């Protein structure tokens, strides 16, 4: 896991170069603005982000009041999500899967710290891990379905 921490830190440092901050940092600012509007007005723009994503943005916003700004807290959450991804890869796919996951993070570059897609992919990966895990079949199917539903709430806007 130490390699994952070093990897995510290096990719984050590269992502904070001026060449990336202008185009990628705009998204994190938009997430913060939407969360702030939702907290202050108790309403969200119905055409902008799915409900699961708004919940994620508001949660990060509420935690960012303790001395770390929204962008820093968003980075901490993204770094944690990457480390959990790599941990699940290691548990269910072995060392080779961790290498492929690390290669993906390197190839994707700093964009992984400016998007909320990691949450949806982690929920899908969690559903796969639960389905493969040792729970009894009815409970395993139900929990995997709940995780897949949560992933859909994060990425798919309800019509």
């Amino acid at each position: 896991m130490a390699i994952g921490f070093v990897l995510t830190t290096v990719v984050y440092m590269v992502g904070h170069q001026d060449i990336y901050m202008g185009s990628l940092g705009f998204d994190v600012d938009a997430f913060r603005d939407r969360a702030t509007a939702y907290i202050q007005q108790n309403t969200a723009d119905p055409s902008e982000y799915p409900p699961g994503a708004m919940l994620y943005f508001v949660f990060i916003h509420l935690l960012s009041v303790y001395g770390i700004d929204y962008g820093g807290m968003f980075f901490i959450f993204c770094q944690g999500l990457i480390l959990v991804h790599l941990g699940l890869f290691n548990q269910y796919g072995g060392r080779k899967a961790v290498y492929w996951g690390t290669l993906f993070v390197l190839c994707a570059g700093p964009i992984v710290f400016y998007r909320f897609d990691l949450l949806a992919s982690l929920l899908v990966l969690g559903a796969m891990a639960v389905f493969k895990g040792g729970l009894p079949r009815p409970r395993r199917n139900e929990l995997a379905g709940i995780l897949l539903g949560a992933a859909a709430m994060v990425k798919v806007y309800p019509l």
Side-chain angles (χ1 to χ4, degrees):
M1 275 312 177
I3 188 73
F5 179 77
V6 170
L7 166 76
T8 55
T9 303
V10 167
V11 171
Y12 175 75
M13 288 169 41
V14 168
H16 268 70
Q17 302 299 317
D18 291 336
I19 193 169
Y20 295 113
M21 285 301 290
S23 59
L24 296 176
F26 175 77
D27 291 330
V28 176
D29 292 339
F31 302 155
R32 182 198 61 233
D33 293 344
R34 294 293 181 219
T36 302
Y38 183 79
I39 291 169
Q40 291 175 348
Q41 302 167 2
N42 199 20
T43 184
D45 182 5
S47 64
E48 187 66 31
Y49 295 106
M54 278 301 299
L55 183 64
Y56 182 62
F57 301 154
V58 168
F59 183 70
I60 292 174
H61 191 283
L62 293 174
L63 291 178
S64 66
V65 297
Y66 297 108
I68 301 175
D69 68 335
Y70 189 86
M73 190 60 73
F74 200 84
F75 160 71
I76 290 170
F77 270 76
C78 287
Q79 188 173 28
L81 291 174
I82 289 172
L83 293 176
V84 173
H85 271 87
L86 293 176
L88 285 172
F89 288 163
N90 187 39
Q91 183 175 358
Y92 290 101
R95 193 171 215 113
K96 196 176 212 179
V98 173
Y99 293 143
W100 281 108
T102 303
L103 182 63
F104 167 75
V105 172
L106 285 173
C107 290
I111 197 168
V112 297
F113 292 108
Y114 297 94
R115 302 286 185 263
F116 62 95
D117 302 317
L118 286 171
L119 179 61
S121 67
L122 182 63
L123 290 168
V124 171
L125 186 61
M128 291 171 45
V130 164
F131 193 73
K132 188 177 179 180
L135 290 174
R137 179 157 301 270
R139 297 289 178 226
R140 179 176 47 193
N141 293 345
E142 291 168 1
L143 186 55
I146 289 170
L147 288 172
L148 287 175
M153 282 183 57
V154 169
K155 280 306 289 178
V156 180
Y157 197 85
L159 298 177

